[in-house]
């Protein structure tokens, strides 16, 4: 179930959307810890979930849900090695950043302007440094890294 709340007048949160889908067995589906979730200006919701195969391998998935067509859930195998720690939409809602606990960042773009077709052609790696937050600037990406690792090689 996806329960997302948007700020309403007066600072209170109103329930904006709830979606439910069939339950998968616990052997194949496990929520990402921590769960990352982001809502775009195009009313697309991106959230993470891990998929466990029969031989116990984890595939870190990013799911894209169009709130106007909630029955069309699109799933992307993210190829992140570690847990996805953040998701962030750009201002147009057509590109999505994903980052993980191992410092890998990917930029996902809509292929042919379709919400059910995504590709990642750009990425970066801040090796060994978990990405704790990121956001879009008008000219690129801003990263927030652990201040404890300031003396690390990735800051040079």
């Amino acid at each position: 179930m996806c329960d997302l709340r948007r700020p309403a007048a007066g600072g209170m949160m109103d329930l904006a959307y709830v979606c439910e889908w069939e339950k998968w067995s616990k052997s194949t589906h496990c929520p990402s810890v921590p769960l990352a979730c982001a809502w775009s200006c195009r009313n697309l919701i991106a959230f993470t979930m891990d998929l466990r195969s029969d031989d116990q391998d984890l595939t870190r998935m990013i799911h894209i849900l169009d709130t106007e067509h909630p029955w069309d859930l699109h799933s992307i195998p993210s190829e992140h090695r570690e847990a996805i720690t953040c998701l962030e939409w750009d201002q147009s809602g057509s590109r999505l950043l994903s980052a993980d606990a191992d410092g890998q960042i990917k930029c996902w773009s809509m292929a042919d302007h379709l919400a059910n077709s995504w590709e990642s052609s750009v990425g970066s790696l801040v090796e060994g440094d978990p990405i704790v937050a990121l956001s879009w600037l008008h000219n690129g990406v801003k990263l927030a890294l652990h201040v404890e690792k300031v003396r690390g090689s990735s800051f040079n």
Side-chain angles (χ1 to χ4, degrees):
M1 177 159 77
C2 184
D3 179 353
L4 297 173
R5 298 175 187 267
R6 291 192 281 197
M12 299 296 292
M13 299 293 275
D14 288 337
L15 179 63
Y17 194 78
V18 174
C19 62
E20 296 182 12
W21 53 86
E22 66 185 66
K23 296 193 184 292
W24 295 331
S25 68
K26 289 183 180 180
S27 63
T28 60
H29 166 263
C30 54
S32 301
V33 178
L35 175 73
C37 185
W39 194 318
S40 81
C41 64
R42 292 183 180 210
N43 284 328
L44 298 175
I45 301 169
F47 62 97
T48 59
M49 192 176 297
D50 295 341
L51 187 63
R52 189 180 309 277
S53 66
D54 291 337
D55 55 357
Q56 301 302 308
D57 289 334
L58 278 180
T59 301
R60 310 228 182 252
M61 304 293 288
I62 298 173
H63 300 285
I64 309 290
L65 176 76
D66 184 346
T67 59
E68 295 175 15
H69 303 98
W71 51 87
D72 289 333
L73 181 69
H74 182 70
S75 302
I76 307 166
S78 71
E79 300 175 9
H80 281 284
R81 295 179 301 240
E82 295 294 326
I84 299 171
T85 55
C86 27
L87 296 172
E88 185 71 28
W89 290 100
D90 71 343
Q91 288 182 341
S92 70
S94 61
R95 292 184 299 170
L96 177 70
L97 290 176
S98 63
D100 69 23
D102 199 32
Q104 185 178 26
I105 303 164
K106 291 187 170 225
C107 180
W108 301 91
S109 301
M110 286 184 182
D112 300 321
H113 305 287
L114 297 172
N116 63 356
S117 182
W118 294 85
E119 57 192 8
S120 174
S121 58
V122 179
S124 181
L125 179 64
V126 183
E127 199 163 344
D129 287 332
I131 307 298
V132 295
L134 47 84
S135 67
W136 290 90
L137 297 175
H138 67 283
N139 62 349
V141 180
K142 176 178 74 174
L143 299 176
L145 306 171
H146 274 265
V147 293
E148 299 168 354
K149 304 219 177 204
V150 169
R151 298 189 197 327
S153 63
S154 61
F155 280 83
N156 295 335

